[in-house]
Amino acid sequence: VRVRVPAKINLFLAVEGLRDDGYHDLTTVLQTVDLHDELDCTLHGPPPGALAADERRPMHLELRHDAGPEVPSGPDNLVLRAATAVLQRLGVPLAEGPGGDDDLRTVIDLRKDIPVAAGMAGGSADAAATLLAVDRLWEAGLRREGLEELAVELGADVPFCLHGGTALATGTGVATARVLARGEFHWVVCVGDGEGLSTPAVFRAHDDLPARMVAVAPDLVLQALRTGDPVLLAEGIHNDLQRAALTLRPALGAGLAAIEEAGALASLVSGSGPTLLGLARDAEHAAVLAAALRPGFPGVRTARSAAGGPRLARDRHPAGEGELYGGGEAPRG
Ligand code: ATP
């Protein structure tokens, strides 16, 4: 099974407060952008979900990726955490090591194009993609509710990544409601030198800063999404974590200024950073901005939002890569 899963950006992010359990309550508007990771999952042996409970053998899991040392290859990788969570649901023990020819095993190849530790939810996207892939591959029959329950346990952005598109999230970010969004928005995405920012560290830095004095609300962003108006969106985009990201990485301030000087409608730190976003009027404007900004940043891309949701295809399907989950649609359960 092959899955392509998009990154996300936060068009609006307000930190409403720190809860007793250490998590933060947020109000955030999320939208997918067309930077994708891709996973190929191959099962060697019968799908455990198709067998009676007492016939299910332990499963070996092997993850291979091309993303360098910053992305773990062991049990900390969100791909393996997601796959292990599905095995637990099925009552299938996780076997140690990658296994051999006679073992029941699943090999997952991850190709990362979403910048790592960059505030674009790459790990969460991979977790959501894995849930969808192994549910299908192992015939786990999790259905929508089962997938959503596991997504919540895996992390705040994972439930959003399961469906993609555009959503308003509240609470710790796991309660999501789809938002009406028309048209497309075009961005220039400026990626740093590979040194990521840790999301928990950015939240801690946020808590150490004085509280914001003015109330903020996502109304303008929601209106801009309804009308597809980038000028209105530029007025409404907001990120409470931006001050914290700038405190930890002051050079980001010059980056934001450069994006505005190049003529972007607005500039923004993406999520917990350090990726910087510039909002363009249209695709052509995004290309012009990218060309102007390329000399100043290690990596500059253009991207379009919204980019639908994870797309799942069965590699060896007789008809080729049939799309099973369409752009941004909820998984069929
Ligand atoms: P978010 O926007 O959800 O806060 P992020 O985009 O800032 O997250 P990620 O790219 O998800 O950050 O990576 C954060 C850390 O998660 C990485 O530094 C890495 O150690 C770990 N990680 C675990 N699994 C993955 C994965 N599949 N892809 C990338 N990073 C992963």
Side-chain angles (χ1 to χ4, degrees):
V1 171
R2 171 171 291 177
V3 197
R4 260 186 117 223
V5 63
K8 65 87 191 161
I9 55 177
N10 301 81
L11 302 176
F12 179 90
L13 192 159
V15 182
E16 308 291 5
L18 179 60
R19 300 153 34 123
D20 291 341
D21 61 9
Y23 287 95
H24 292 78
D25 274 323
L26 308 177
T27 302
T28 182
V29 179
L30 303 133
Q31 189 162 61
T32 46
V33 285
D34 63 351
L35 305 180
H36 293 91
D37 282 356
E38 200 168 69
L39 280 97
D40 280 330
C41 303
T42 310
L43 170 66
H44 300 266
L51 301 175
D54 59 353
E55 290 174 1
R56 293 178 189 168
R57 288 188 289 146
M59 173 81 78
H60 295 266
L61 292 177
E62 183 183 3
L63 171 67
R64 306 187 292 212
H65 70 70
D66 58 2
E70 212 189 331
V71 173
S73 300
D76 287 343
N77 194 297
L78 276 151
V79 166
L80 291 181
R81 286 184 45 208
T84 306
V86 176
L87 286 182
Q88 265 167 8
R89 274 291 163 107
L90 283 170
V92 172
L94 174 66
E96 252 185 56
D101 286 350
D102 296 334
D103 293 315
L104 179 62
R105 60 197 176 94
T106 299
V107 180
I108 303 177
D109 285 299
L110 168 64
R111 286 180 295 281
K112 285 202 72 77
D113 194 36
I114 303 177
V116 175
M120 302 194 82
S124 302
D126 296 346
T130 305
L131 290 178
L132 292 168
V134 299
D135 176 46
R136 176 68 50 148
L137 192 67
W138 296 342
E139 298 183 19
L142 286 176
R143 298 177 177 276
R144 186 179 169 143
E145 307 81 66
L147 290 166
E148 283 175 352
E149 271 172 36
L150 292 181
V152 166
E153 287 166 21
L154 286 163
D157 286 331
V158 186
F160 169 73
C161 292
L162 211 46
H163 303 292
T166 311
L168 173 70
T170 52
T172 54
V174 298
T176 59
R178 302 189 90 192
V179 162
L180 176 66
R182 282 202 191 90
E184 325 187 298
F185 297 99
H186 295 271
W187 304 88
V188 60
V189 179
C190 302
V191 184
D193 54 9
E195 177 92 20
L197 273 176
S198 137
T199 305
V202 174
F203 272 100
R204 279 195 300 276
H206 170 272
D207 296 338
D208 291 340
L209 288 167
R212 136 171 73 67
M213 298 305 286
V214 287
V216 289
D219 305 31
L220 267 187
V221 166
L222 296 175
Q223 200 184 331
L225 287 167
R226 277 196 298 273
T227 54
D229 180 352
V231 175
L232 201 57
L233 185 64
E235 269 180 65
I237 56 177
H238 173 80
N239 182 3
D240 266 348
L241 293 178
Q242 183 156 314
R243 275 190 309 157
L246 287 169
T247 309
L248 294 176
R249 190 75 56 84
L252 293 179
L256 290 171
I259 290 171
E260 302 221 350
E261 277 158 26
L265 299 177
S267 67
L268 187 75
V269 170
S270 178
S272 53
T275 300
L276 302 180
L277 302 170
L279 177 60
R281 280 190 301 277
D282 50 32
E284 207 177 317
H285 186 211
V288 170
L289 290 175
L293 291 164
R294 225 156 246 141
F297 288 92
V300 175
R301 329 259 302 255
T302 56
R304 177 184 58 82
S305 69
R311 290 155 80 100
L312 201 149
R314 199 182 271 271
D315 226 353
R316 290 183 216 96
H317 190 276
E321 287 192 13
E323 182 188 324
L324 300 179
Y325 301 150
E329 279 175 26
R332 278 165 266 167

Short mmCIF file of all heavy atoms in Angstrom, two decimals, residues 15-16 47 56 64 91 108 114 123 126 131 135 137 152 165 172 190 228 242-243 258 261 284 319:
data_model
loop_
_atom_site.label_atom_id
_atom_site.label_comp_id
_atom_site.label_asym_id
_atom_site.label_seq_id
_atom_site.Cartn_x
_atom_site.Cartn_y
_atom_site.Cartn_z
N VAL A 15 -2.74 30.62 21.43
CA VAL A 15 -2.56 29.79 22.62
C VAL A 15 -3.48 30.38 23.69
O VAL A 15 -3.31 31.52 24.11
CB VAL A 15 -1.10 29.81 23.11
CG1 VAL A 15 -0.93 28.90 24.32
CG2 VAL A 15 -0.16 29.39 21.99
N GLU A 16 -4.48 29.59 24.09
CA GLU A 16 -5.50 30.14 25.01
C GLU A 16 -5.07 29.97 26.46
O GLU A 16 -5.56 30.66 27.33
CB GLU A 16 -6.85 29.44 24.78
CG GLU A 16 -7.32 29.44 23.32
CD GLU A 16 -7.70 30.82 22.80
OE1 GLU A 16 -7.52 31.82 23.53
OE2 GLU A 16 -8.16 30.91 21.65
N PRO A 47 -2.59 -11.11 6.06
CA PRO A 47 -3.02 -9.97 6.87
C PRO A 47 -3.60 -10.45 8.20
O PRO A 47 -4.52 -11.28 8.19
CB PRO A 47 -4.11 -9.30 6.01
CG PRO A 47 -4.37 -10.19 4.86
CD PRO A 47 -3.36 -11.29 4.83
N ARG A 56 -3.16 -15.54 15.00
CA ARG A 56 -2.33 -14.37 14.69
C ARG A 56 -0.94 -14.51 15.29
O ARG A 56 -0.81 -14.66 16.50
CB ARG A 56 -3.02 -13.08 15.20
CG ARG A 56 -4.29 -12.82 14.45
CD ARG A 56 -5.01 -11.59 14.95
NE ARG A 56 -6.32 -11.52 14.31
CZ ARG A 56 -7.31 -10.72 14.68
NH1 ARG A 56 -7.14 -9.89 15.71
NH2 ARG A 56 -8.46 -10.72 14.05
N ARG A 64 12.38 1.97 6.96
CA ARG A 64 13.56 2.49 6.26
C ARG A 64 13.21 3.89 5.79
O ARG A 64 12.10 4.12 5.30
CB ARG A 64 13.88 1.60 5.05
CG ARG A 64 14.03 0.13 5.46
CD ARG A 64 14.51 -0.74 4.33
NE ARG A 64 13.54 -0.88 3.26
CZ ARG A 64 13.39 -1.97 2.50
NH1 ARG A 64 14.16 -3.03 2.71
NH2 ARG A 64 12.51 -2.02 1.53
N GLY A 91 -4.45 -7.10 18.86
CA GLY A 91 -3.99 -8.15 19.76
C GLY A 91 -2.82 -8.93 19.18
O GLY A 91 -2.60 -10.09 19.52
N ILE A 108 8.25 -0.83 5.98
CA ILE A 108 7.71 0.49 5.63
C ILE A 108 8.85 1.37 5.12
O ILE A 108 9.84 1.59 5.81
CB ILE A 108 7.03 1.16 6.85
CG1 ILE A 108 5.92 0.25 7.40
CG2 ILE A 108 6.46 2.53 6.46
CD1 ILE A 108 5.23 0.77 8.65
N ILE A 114 8.57 16.56 3.39
CA ILE A 114 8.11 17.59 4.34
C ILE A 114 9.32 17.94 5.24
O ILE A 114 9.94 17.03 5.80
CB ILE A 114 6.94 17.07 5.21
CG1 ILE A 114 5.77 16.62 4.32
CG2 ILE A 114 6.50 18.15 6.21
CD1 ILE A 114 4.58 16.02 5.08
N GLY A 123 5.93 14.65 11.13
CA GLY A 123 5.80 13.41 11.90
C GLY A 123 4.34 13.02 12.07
O GLY A 123 3.97 11.85 11.94
N ASP A 126 2.99 11.60 8.88
CA ASP A 126 3.45 10.22 8.68
C ASP A 126 2.67 9.26 9.57
O ASP A 126 2.36 8.13 9.15
CB ASP A 126 4.95 10.09 9.00
CG ASP A 126 5.81 10.92 8.06
OD1 ASP A 126 5.30 11.37 7.01
OD2 ASP A 126 7.00 11.13 8.38
N LEU A 131 -1.42 4.95 9.90
CA LEU A 131 -2.69 4.38 10.39
C LEU A 131 -3.55 3.92 9.21
O LEU A 131 -4.08 2.81 9.20
CB LEU A 131 -3.47 5.42 11.20
CG LEU A 131 -2.91 5.81 12.57
CD1 LEU A 131 -3.79 6.89 13.20
CD2 LEU A 131 -2.81 4.60 13.50
N ASP A 135 -4.02 -0.12 8.39
CA ASP A 135 -5.42 -0.54 8.54
C ASP A 135 -5.85 -1.31 7.29
O ASP A 135 -6.46 -2.38 7.37
CB ASP A 135 -6.30 0.69 8.76
CG ASP A 135 -7.77 0.33 8.83
OD1 ASP A 135 -8.10 -0.65 9.52
OD2 ASP A 135 -8.59 1.00 8.17
N LEU A 137 -3.71 -2.59 4.87
CA LEU A 137 -2.80 -3.70 4.57
C LEU A 137 -3.06 -4.92 5.46
O LEU A 137 -2.99 -6.06 5.01
CB LEU A 137 -1.37 -3.19 4.80
CG LEU A 137 -0.19 -4.00 4.32
CD1 LEU A 137 -0.17 -4.06 2.79
CD2 LEU A 137 1.10 -3.37 4.82
N VAL A 152 -5.76 10.45 18.02
CA VAL A 152 -5.75 11.34 19.19
C VAL A 152 -4.63 10.92 20.14
O VAL A 152 -3.90 11.76 20.69
CB VAL A 152 -7.13 11.31 19.90
CG1 VAL A 152 -7.05 11.93 21.28
CG2 VAL A 152 -8.18 11.98 19.04
N GLY A 165 -7.24 18.80 4.32
CA GLY A 165 -8.16 19.88 3.94
C GLY A 165 -7.97 21.10 4.83
O GLY A 165 -6.83 21.55 5.07
N THR A 172 -6.70 20.82 22.97
CA THR A 172 -5.27 20.59 22.74
C THR A 172 -4.98 20.43 21.24
O THR A 172 -3.87 20.10 20.86
CB THR A 172 -4.79 19.32 23.48
OG1 THR A 172 -5.64 18.24 23.10
CG2 THR A 172 -4.85 19.52 24.98
N CYS A 190 9.93 29.10 3.20
CA CYS A 190 11.38 29.29 3.37
C CYS A 190 11.86 28.41 4.51
O CYS A 190 11.50 28.61 5.67
CB CYS A 190 11.68 30.76 3.67
SG CYS A 190 11.09 31.84 2.36
N GLY A 228 -12.09 32.95 -0.41
CA GLY A 228 -10.88 32.66 -1.19
C GLY A 228 -10.05 33.92 -1.45
O GLY A 228 -9.32 33.98 -2.45
N GLN A 242 4.78 32.71 17.31
CA GLN A 242 5.82 33.41 16.55
C GLN A 242 6.80 34.15 17.46
O GLN A 242 8.00 34.08 17.27
CB GLN A 242 5.14 34.39 15.58
CG GLN A 242 6.11 35.13 14.68
CD GLN A 242 5.45 35.61 13.40
OE1 GLN A 242 4.72 34.87 12.75
NE2 GLN A 242 5.68 36.84 13.04
N ARG A 243 6.27 34.85 18.48
CA ARG A 243 7.16 35.58 19.41
C ARG A 243 8.15 34.61 20.07
O ARG A 243 9.32 34.91 20.24
CB ARG A 243 6.33 36.25 20.52
CG ARG A 243 5.76 37.60 20.16
CD ARG A 243 5.19 38.28 21.40
NE ARG A 243 4.27 37.41 22.15
CZ ARG A 243 3.97 37.55 23.43
NH1 ARG A 243 4.52 38.51 24.16
NH2 ARG A 243 3.13 36.74 24.03
N ALA A 258 12.56 40.03 5.28
CA ALA A 258 12.94 39.82 3.87
C ALA A 258 11.75 39.36 3.04
O ALA A 258 11.58 39.78 1.89
CB ALA A 258 14.07 38.79 3.79
N GLU A 261 9.64 42.41 2.47
CA GLU A 261 10.30 43.33 1.51
C GLU A 261 10.22 42.80 0.08
O GLU A 261 10.16 43.57 -0.88
CB GLU A 261 11.77 43.54 1.89
CG GLU A 261 11.94 44.61 2.97
CD GLU A 261 13.26 44.45 3.73
OE1 GLU A 261 14.21 43.89 3.15
OE2 GLU A 261 13.30 44.86 4.91
N GLU A 284 1.69 32.75 -9.75
CA GLU A 284 2.77 33.48 -10.43
C GLU A 284 3.54 34.35 -9.44
O GLU A 284 4.78 34.40 -9.44
CB GLU A 284 2.12 34.36 -11.50
CG GLU A 284 2.99 34.68 -12.67
CD GLU A 284 2.20 35.51 -13.67
OE1 GLU A 284 1.03 35.19 -13.92
OE2 GLU A 284 2.77 36.48 -14.16
N ALA A 319 -5.70 -2.34 -11.47
CA ALA A 319 -5.92 -1.14 -12.28
C ALA A 319 -4.84 -0.09 -12.02
O ALA A 319 -4.99 1.05 -12.41
CB ALA A 319 -7.29 -0.57 -11.97
#
